[in-house]
């Protein structure tokens, strides 16, 4: 019996290799997490079934009480009984995947055992699906662990071989042969199957725990680096703090060197090779340029891919990690190694995780800086008597876009800054080119139409020949804002604003129309001549524009306000041309 047990242990050794292979199967973790749909159940049943077929061919043959050991079993005679080890694989399938995976893999092995034949083919065919069901059900009953404990697997692994021996006694044609098989191989089979099941579960648990422990350590290291990088990235941009960031990464990571670059040149380099890898040199590596262009992490496994011309350079391989700011690639972190064997999957994933964390930190601080700029802009605009409602609505718009559309948020921020700059220049310059005033209007309209894309239509008729004529700042924009804020306030249909700019003799004519409610008839004679209270709403802006025109041109300018016959209102001003095609210095 001892000799048979030793032989069975030798034959079952290949299943230990199968156990290691199991940990490499794609989707293996979903099996351990019990997070499976029917397609994954079928997939794992097929994988374990194929491995069970291989296990069947590593078994032994009983021929009239004689144990036959061959290197690879292919043919089974009618009077011979195949004692295969596919049942061990099927039990593993049941323990890890539950009764459905165990049953599926058992059916595959069972059908194959029927195809092979032999004196106990029916017992072999019936035992494999039963083993999958039994171990699947008992495994779920005894344990909620991802991988069952080896001692529990040892206990569960005893039952299927005992049942198998019983089926051989029942279904084998020659009862005397069945008794001899059970007496000779029964106990050794129970021992080897149970111990093999325990060893395999122990191997899977050990491999899984090791990988999870390594992943936890790398995650902890990435978070530690991210925490230390916070003060570096918070105070200034990556460009200004590239050296400090490179030194931090070099101290924390067991690597040969760290380089940080923007989209054009190397910003910092720390580590081996500092004598010839110079700060300020342009990006030469093809993979670095690919990483910048595609935004995808790149790995150079060969020294030739580094494209370093220095013959004694100790750097052999590298990982190029793109760094983002609001979804836009702004630079690279290059992590260099001395040997290609040092770049494992865990190093690649750590580099990828660091790139993501650092990019998120940069984007977060950029968002905070945007908010600070917006707050500062709010103060300045309030000082310039900007409509506070427009200010807050713009802040809310940019804040909302930052969540869903970073590109549009940046665009709105740029347009808002242009709008703000024009407002801040109101007091500093009395005259500006007409094209600057139109740009001021366009910036305002871009913001407003972004808030109401389907509720506002703007029509423009602008004579391109008068764009260089100088006019008072904040002349056209307040008329457009007044038309939108007050003229279209009560309009239920689509609001329309028409802007017409042209030349009439030696003057510039500007008219803004809308299809809104129009001016109160009783106020028409005095609109633009005196400011109104908030109750009337649409007189202060027009009054300020008219007063500025009078202050610059005395009586040479004119403002007219009227209601249109078809509904809506019109405000037109005439500005005398004093300076045309003058060179103008922008602030």
């Amino acid at each position: 019996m001892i000799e048979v047990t030793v032989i069975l242990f030798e034959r079952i050794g290949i299943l230990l290799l199968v156990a290691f292979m199991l940990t490499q199967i794609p989707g293996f973790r979903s099996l351990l997490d019990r997070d499976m749909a029917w397609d994954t159940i079928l997939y794992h049943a097929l994988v374990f079934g194929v491995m069970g077929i291989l296990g069947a061919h590593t078994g032994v043959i009983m021929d009239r009480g004689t144990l036959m050991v061959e290197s690879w079993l292919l043919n089974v005679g009618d009077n011979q009984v195949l004692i295969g080890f596919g049942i061990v694989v099927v039990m593993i399938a049941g323990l890890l995947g539950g009764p459905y995976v165990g049953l599926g893999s058992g059916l595959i092995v069972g059908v194959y055992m029927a195809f092979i034949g032999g004196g106990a083919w029916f017992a072999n065919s019936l035992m494999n699906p039963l083993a999958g069901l039994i171990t699947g059900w008992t495994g779920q009953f005894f344990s909620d662990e991802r991988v069952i404990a080896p001692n529990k697997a040892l206990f569960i692994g005893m039952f299927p071989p005992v049942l198998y021996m019983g089926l051989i006694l029942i279904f084998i044609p020659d009862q005397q042969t069945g008794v001899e098989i059970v007496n000779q191989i029964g106990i050794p089979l129970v021992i080897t199957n149970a111990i093999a099941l325990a060893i395999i579960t122990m191997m899977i648990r050990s491999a899984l725990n090791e990988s999870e422990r390594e992943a936890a350590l790398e995650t902890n290291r990435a978070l530690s680096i991210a925490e230390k990088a916070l003060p570096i990235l918070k105070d200034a941009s990556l460009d200004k703090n590239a050296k400090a960031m490179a030194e931090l990464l070099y101290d924390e990571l067991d690597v040969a060197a760290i380089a940080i670059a923007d989209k054009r040149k190397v910003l910092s380099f720390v580590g081996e090779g500092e004598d010839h890898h110079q700060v300020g040199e342009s990006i030469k590596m093809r993979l670095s340029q690919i990483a910048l262009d595609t935004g995808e992490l790149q790995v150079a496994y060969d020294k030739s891919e580094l494209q370093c011309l220095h013959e004694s350079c100790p750097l052999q391989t590298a990982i190029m990690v793109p760094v983002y700011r609001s979804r836009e690639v702004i630079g690279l972190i290059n992590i260099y190694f001395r040997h290609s064997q040092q770049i494992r999957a865990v190093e690649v994933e750590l580099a990828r995780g660091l790139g993501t964390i650092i990019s998120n930190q940069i984007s977060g601080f950029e968002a905070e800086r945007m908010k600070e700029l917006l707050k500062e802009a709010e103060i300045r605009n309030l000082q310039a008597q900007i409509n506070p409602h427009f200010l807050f609505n713009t802040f809310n718009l940019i804040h909302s876009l930052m969540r869903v559309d970073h590109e549009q948020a940046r665009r709105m921020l740029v347009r808002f800054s242009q709008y703000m700059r024009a407002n801040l220049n109101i007091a500093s310059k009395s005259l500006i080119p007409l094209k600057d005033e139109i740009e001021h209007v366009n910036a305002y309209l871009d913001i407003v139409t972004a808030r109401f894309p389907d509720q506002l239509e703007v029509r423009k008729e602008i004579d391109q020949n008068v764009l260089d004529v100088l006019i008072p700042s904040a002349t056209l924009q307040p008329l457009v804002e007044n038309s939108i804020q007050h003229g279209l306030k009560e309009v239920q249909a689509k609001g329309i604003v028409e802007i017409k700019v042209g030349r009439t003799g030696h003057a510039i004519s500007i008219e803004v129309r809308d299809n809104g409610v129009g001016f109160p008839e009783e106020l028409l004679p005095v609109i633009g001549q005196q400011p109104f209270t908030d109750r009337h709403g649409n007189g202060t802006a027009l009054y300020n524009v008219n007063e500025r025109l009078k202050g610059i041109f005395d009586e040479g300018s004119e403002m007219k306000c009227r209601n249109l016959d078809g509904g809506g209102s019109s405000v037109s001003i005439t500005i005398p041309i004093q300076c045309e095609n003058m060179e103008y210095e922008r602030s």
Side-chain angles (χ1 to χ4, degrees):
M1 181 180 296
I2 296 177
E3 181 181 357
V4 173
T5 303
V6 172
I7 292 174
L8 293 181
F9 269 124
E10 291 176 350
R11 305 294 291 178
I12 212 169
I14 192 172
L15 295 181
L16 300 180
L17 176 62
V18 173
F20 174 76
M21 293 172 59
L22 289 176
T23 62
Q24 311 302 314
I25 296 176
F28 184 66
R29 289 186 182 275
S30 65
L31 184 72
L32 302 180
D33 294 336
R34 309 294 196 269
D35 183 18
M36 296 187 295
W38 282 108
D39 57 341
T40 54
I41 289 176
L42 294 175
Y43 167 75
H44 287 103
L46 179 62
V47 170
F48 281 104
V50 172
M51 290 185 175
I53 291 173
L54 296 177
H57 284 285
T58 61
V60 296
I61 292 179
M62 297 295 298
D63 189 358
R64 295 182 178 89
T66 302
L67 184 66
M68 300 175 58
V69 180
E70 298 182 10
S71 58
W72 189 253
L73 302 177
L74 296 176
N75 299 313
V76 181
D78 293 337
N79 296 324
Q80 297 175 333
V81 176
L82 173 62
I83 308 297
F85 294 116
I87 188 174
V88 178
V89 179
V90 172
M91 288 191 292
I92 284 292
L95 286 179
L96 298 181
Y100 294 118
V101 175
L103 176 62
S105 59
L107 287 173
I108 294 174
V109 178
V111 170
Y112 186 78
M113 295 296 285
F115 175 76
I116 290 179
W121 69 269
F122 188 76
N124 283 329
S125 300
L126 184 61
M127 187 59 233
N128 281 281
L130 285 177
L133 278 175
I134 291 172
T135 53
W137 278 330
T138 54
Q140 288 184 342
F141 177 78
F142 280 110
S143 176
D144 292 328
E145 300 172 284
R146 297 178 70 191
V147 180
I148 193 169
N151 59 335
K152 296 178 182 178
L154 180 69
F155 176 73
I156 295 173
M158 295 179 181
F159 293 100
V162 172
L163 180 59
Y164 181 33
M165 293 297 99
L167 292 177
I168 289 178
L169 290 175
I170 295 173
F171 293 107
I172 195 170
D174 187 350
Q175 294 295 317
Q176 182 61 34
T177 301
V179 172
E180 292 178 357
I181 292 174
V182 171
N183 288 336
Q184 185 174 358
I185 206 171
I187 294 177
L189 189 66
V190 171
I191 293 174
T192 55
N193 276 253
I195 293 178
L197 198 65
I199 292 175
I200 290 173
T201 55
M202 182 169 58
M203 290 178 61
I204 295 176
R205 284 169 65 97
S206 177
L208 185 64
N209 291 338
E210 182 64 26
S211 63
E212 291 182 346
R213 187 182 303 110
E214 188 174 16
L217 291 174
E218 296 302 330
T219 301
N220 182 65
R221 179 156 55 153
L223 293 176
S224 175
I225 294 173
E227 183 179 2
K228 294 177 180 179
L230 279 173
I232 297 177
L233 297 174
K234 187 174 183 179
D235 294 337
S237 64
L238 182 63
D239 294 353
K240 296 181 179 179
N241 282 329
K243 182 172 178 58
M245 177 60 67
E247 291 175 347
L248 170 64
L249 295 177
Y250 182 74
D251 292 338
E252 295 292 330
L253 301 175
D254 184 18
V255 297
I258 294 288
I260 295 180
D262 59 15
K263 301 183 75 171
R264 299 182 304 277
K265 63 182 184 300
V266 177
L267 301 174
S268 64
F269 190 96
V270 178
E272 299 179 19
E274 285 182 295
D275 56 331
H276 60 277
H277 286 275
Q278 301 297 324
V279 174
E281 65 181 5
S282 60
I283 295 177
K284 300 176 182 178
M285 284 190 292
R286 181 181 62 86
L287 289 179
S288 292
Q289 197 59 54
I290 292 176
L292 288 171
D293 294 339
T294 64
E296 298 292 334
L297 180 143
Q298 302 293 318
V299 182
Y301 290 101
D302 189 80
K303 184 177 181 179
S304 61
E305 295 179 301
L306 299 183
Q307 298 177 259
C308 180
L309 301 178
H310 200 275
E311 294 183 0
S312 60
C313 180
L315 308 179
Q316 302 291 320
T317 57
I319 302 176
M320 296 79 170
V321 186
V323 178
Y324 291 82
R325 181 176 61 207
S326 302
R327 298 185 180 180
E328 179 185 358
V329 179
I330 61 172
L332 284 177
I333 297 176
N334 288 353
I335 305 174
Y336 293 93
F337 298 85
R338 301 173 189 86
H339 307 286
S340 59
Q341 293 82 356
Q342 293 178 307
I343 301 183
R344 302 172 298 165
V346 66
E347 273 74 29
V348 174
E349 291 305 315
L350 173 62
R352 193 188 309 275
L354 282 175
T356 300
I357 293 174
I358 292 174
S359 297
N360 289 338
Q361 288 179 341
I362 292 175
S363 298
F365 290 134
E366 181 69 14
E368 290 183 7
R369 281 192 283 268
M370 286 184 181
K371 291 180 181 179
E372 292 175 359
L373 289 175
L374 290 175
K375 290 180 180 179
E376 182 180 351
E378 176 185 357
I379 296 173
R380 293 184 179 180
N381 278 273
L382 286 174
Q383 292 174 345
Q385 298 182 350
I386 297 177
N387 187 337
H389 295 291
F390 172 77
L391 185 67
F392 296 137
N393 290 335
T394 304
F395 289 160
N396 290 332
L397 170 65
I398 297 175
H399 183 267
S400 300
L401 289 174
M402 287 172 64
R403 299 178 180 176
V404 298
D405 191 341
H406 295 283
E407 294 295 330
Q408 180 71 347
R410 283 204 300 271
R411 182 175 174 277
M412 286 298 101
L413 186 61
V414 170
R415 299 303 276 166
F416 183 67
S417 66
Q418 293 171 344
Y419 172 82
M420 294 283 295
R421 181 177 181 182
N423 277 285
L424 294 174
N425 285 337
I426 291 175
S428 61
K429 295 185 180 297
S430 58
L431 296 174
I432 63 173
L434 176 59
K435 57 186 177 184
D436 287 359
E437 179 67 14
I438 291 175
E439 181 61 23
H440 185 198
V441 173
N442 290 336
Y444 171 79
L445 289 175
D446 282 348
I447 297 172
V448 174
T449 52
R451 290 181 55 219
F452 310 107
D454 299 321
Q455 301 178 29
L456 179 63
E457 178 182 353
V458 180
R459 302 170 182 173
K460 302 175 185 176
E461 294 181 18
I462 300 174
D463 185 355
Q464 301 296 309
N465 296 320
V466 298
L467 294 180
D468 291 326
V469 174
L470 300 183
I471 67 170
S473 59
T475 298
L476 178 57
Q477 189 276 332
L479 303 185
V480 177
E481 181 176 357
N482 185 78
S483 181
I484 294 174
Q485 295 292 331
H486 302 294
L488 301 178
K489 186 176 182 180
E490 305 296 334
V491 174
Q492 300 298 324
K494 188 173 186 178
I496 299 175
V497 175
E498 297 180 57
I499 303 173
K500 296 182 180 180
V501 179
R503 180 167 183 167
T504 305
H506 294 284
I508 296 296
S509 61
I510 298 175
E511 182 181 16
V512 178
R513 293 187 175 197
D514 62 68
N515 64 339
V517 297
F519 297 107
E521 291 293 335
E522 68 274 16
L523 298 180
L524 274 175
V526 292
I527 286 180
Q529 306 302 319
Q530 63 184 53
F532 301 137
T533 62
D534 290 341
R535 180 173 60 85
H536 297 95
N538 56 6
T540 304
L542 300 181
Y543 172 78
N544 290 338
V545 171
N546 198 29
E547 287 296 303
R548 190 179 302 113
L549 292 175
K550 289 180 179 179
I552 296 175
F553 302 107
D554 196 16
E555 300 298 326
S557 63
E558 183 181 18
M559 173 183 286
K560 292 182 179 179
C561 302
R562 60 190 178 92
N563 289 328
L564 303 176
D565 293 337
S569 61
S570 168
V571 177
S572 60
I573 57 177
T574 302
I575 303 174
I577 298 177
Q578 292 189 344
C579 302
E580 190 172 5
N581 296 323
M582 285 184 60
E583 184 176 349
Y584 179 78
E585 182 181 355
R586 292 184 177 86
S587 62

